Amino acid sequence: MSSPYILEVKNLRKVFDHDLFKKKQVVLDDLSFGFPEGSCTALMGHNGAGKTTTIRTIFGLIKPDKGEVLFRGRPLTLEDKRLIGYMPETNKLPGNLTCEEILWHQLRVFNPKDLKPKHYKEAIEKQLQEVGLWEHRRKRVGKLSKGMGRRLSWAQATIHRPELVILDEPMSGLDPVGYKLMIHLINQLRERRASIILCTHDIWSIKDTCEQVYIMNKGRLVYSSLTVADGSPVQNLQHFLAISGCSVETLRSLQEASRLPAWGDLRTQSYRTELWFKDYADAVKWLQACLMKGLLVVDFRKSSGLDEDHLLSFFGEEKSA
């Protein structure tokens, strides 16, 4: 049976132990998830969460201590990597080459099957026109502004018509006009049903670009709007009940007295307490019990899974089990 994922990482573990005077650093801790074919998936997390190590492992730049990377259900090969485009977080293109030369080199290396060499010139012009760099085609990379460099990096990552595009902080260094253009370019790829992995801190941009999201924290997957590769949910608490002016002790007493189901997560902020549930039926039981008790319910709804406040709760320190 074919895999629904274009790319999967399974049980990845990586420990760095380079310094005799420091403890071993677990960077990836039994990490498993899959990226659905033909959709845009956000990979998020705080600095040091393990996103960059995951990307480097995918490309074979880092060898994991355990686990594997699969492409359409089989081990990722060199030939498969020709079908992947990558836009790094920082521009690392040779400063002495021109925009045109960068794209010529990319096409010669990746040699896309559906684009003949005689059409390379036409493809390069179209790509540079699309990102607003045609007038700067003979300008050397070292002379480009940071924003122009980001647009050239996008052009390089996508000119060979990859089936999977991995974008690492594509909004970094862009002004509002460049930001809007990047959102437009990502959505153009989505319309062509390309598969996209969007690694970003920008929690606001994913609402305009992504169908689903994963969040990493200290090398682990702590939130998923999907399920992991074996089908079991990682963290998919969508229904929440918000109560004002109620202590956790009161809620625990109510739970025991009314024999209510356990909540999946509890979050407090000032006088507001949120109870999160996976199942709607559990959330309704709590709503009814709180109303019967006379507690002040200020919100009760289903989260989209991409709500800002919901996602932000998974950043920062790793949540205890």
Side-chain angles (χ1 to χ4, degrees):
M1 189 173 87
S2 62
S3 172
Y5 301 124
I6 189 169
L7 187 77
E8 293 175 76
V9 297
K10 285 192 171 184
N11 307 114
L12 288 186
R13 179 175 175 82
K14 182 62 184 177
V15 179
F16 289 146
D17 186 21
H18 301 313
D19 195 325
L20 293 174
F21 302 99
K22 292 183 180 180
K23 294 193 301 183
K24 294 181 180 180
Q25 183 183 6
V26 180
V27 184
L28 301 179
D29 192 358
D30 199 32
L31 186 67
S32 296
F33 48 67
F35 298 95
E37 184 111 29
S39 66
C40 183
T41 305
L43 179 60
M44 308 188 75
H46 59 82
N47 289 329
K51 302 188 302 298
T52 299
T53 301
T54 302
I55 293 172
R56 290 176 177 173
T57 302
I58 289 171
F59 285 114
L61 301 176
I62 291 178
K63 184 178 180 181
D65 301 319
K66 174 189 172 186
E68 60 182 342
V69 178
L70 303 178
F71 187 82
R72 294 195 171 116
R74 51 180 169 71
L76 182 69
T77 66
L78 179 61
E79 193 62 28
D80 294 330
K81 292 177 183 179
R82 293 179 179 273
L83 304 177
I84 301 176
Y86 175 54
M87 180 179 176
E89 180 177 1
T90 56
N91 298 330
K92 298 181 179 179
L93 302 174
N96 62 326
L97 297 182
T98 67
C99 297
E100 276 185 321
E101 289 170 339
I102 291 290
L103 299 190
W104 273 107
H105 178 73
Q106 184 79 355
L107 288 173
R108 287 166 180 157
V109 169
F110 281 82
N111 189 26
K113 293 180 180 179
D114 59 345
L115 185 63
K116 296 181 180 179
K118 66 180 180 179
H119 297 307
Y120 283 3
K121 184 176 181 180
E122 179 184 346
I124 290 171
E125 179 176 353
K126 180 180 178 182
Q127 193 80 341
L128 291 177
Q129 290 277 13
E130 189 175 60
V131 297
L133 290 176
W134 178 245
E135 300 300 321
H136 304 279
R137 59 189 179 277
R138 295 189 177 90
K139 182 177 288 187
R140 298 195 183 278
V141 172
K143 300 294 184 180
L144 298 178
S145 67
K146 185 173 182 180
M148 292 167 70
R150 297 303 287 156
R151 285 183 274 148
L152 179 60
S153 187
W154 167 275
Q156 183 198 33
T158 59
I159 192 169
H160 59 290
R161 302 178 184 179
E163 296 179 17
L164 171 65
V165 180
I166 301 177
L167 307 173
D168 195 357
E169 297 294 349
M171 317 299 179
S172 176
L174 296 179
D175 60 22
V177 174
Y179 184 100
K180 185 176 180 179
L181 173 62
M182 189 60 63
I183 295 291
H184 172 71
L185 293 171
I186 292 172
N187 284 327
Q188 276 191 326
L189 274 185
R190 291 174 66 196
E191 290 172 4
R192 298 202 294 265
R193 302 302 297 166
S195 304
I196 306 168
I197 300 175
L198 177 59
C199 303
T200 182
H201 292 99
D202 187 356
I203 207 167
W204 302 275
S205 67
I206 68 170
K207 293 182 181 180
D208 298 322
T209 55
C210 297
E211 285 85 21
Q212 55 275 322
V213 59
Y214 294 122
I215 299 178
M216 294 178 62
N217 195 317
K218 296 183 179 179
R220 295 181 179 180
L221 185 62
V222 294
Y223 174 80
S224 169
S225 60
L226 289 166
T227 55
V228 291
D230 64 3
S232 61
V234 179
Q235 181 64 278
N236 199 13
L237 306 175
Q238 295 186 341
H239 308 279
F240 77 92
L241 168 69
I243 309 155
S244 180
C246 180
S247 67
V248 176
E249 290 74 18
T250 299
L251 293 174
R252 293 193 185 279
S253 297
L254 178 61
Q255 180 185 25
E256 183 176 352
S258 303
R259 296 183 179 180
L260 294 170
W263 54 71
D265 193 14
L266 183 146
R267 306 167 197 166
T268 59
Q269 183 177 11
S270 187
Y271 294 102
R272 177 185 173 103
T273 301
E274 290 182 358
L275 300 179
W276 286 79
F277 305 91
K278 176 188 173 185
D279 297 321
Y280 175 71
D282 291 346
V284 169
K285 289 177 183 178
W286 269 94
L287 174 63
Q288 293 172 338
C290 289
L291 292 175
M292 290 290 293
K293 184 71 173 177
L295 301 179
L296 179 57
V297 176
V298 294
D299 201 356
F300 177 73
R301 59 189 168 93
K302 180 179 179 180
S303 165
S304 68
L306 300 181
D307 291 343
E308 177 185 330
D309 290 341
H310 180 46
L311 296 180
L312 281 173
S313 67
F314 293 93
F315 284 72
E317 291 300 314
E318 185 176 11
K319 301 170 72 64
S320 58

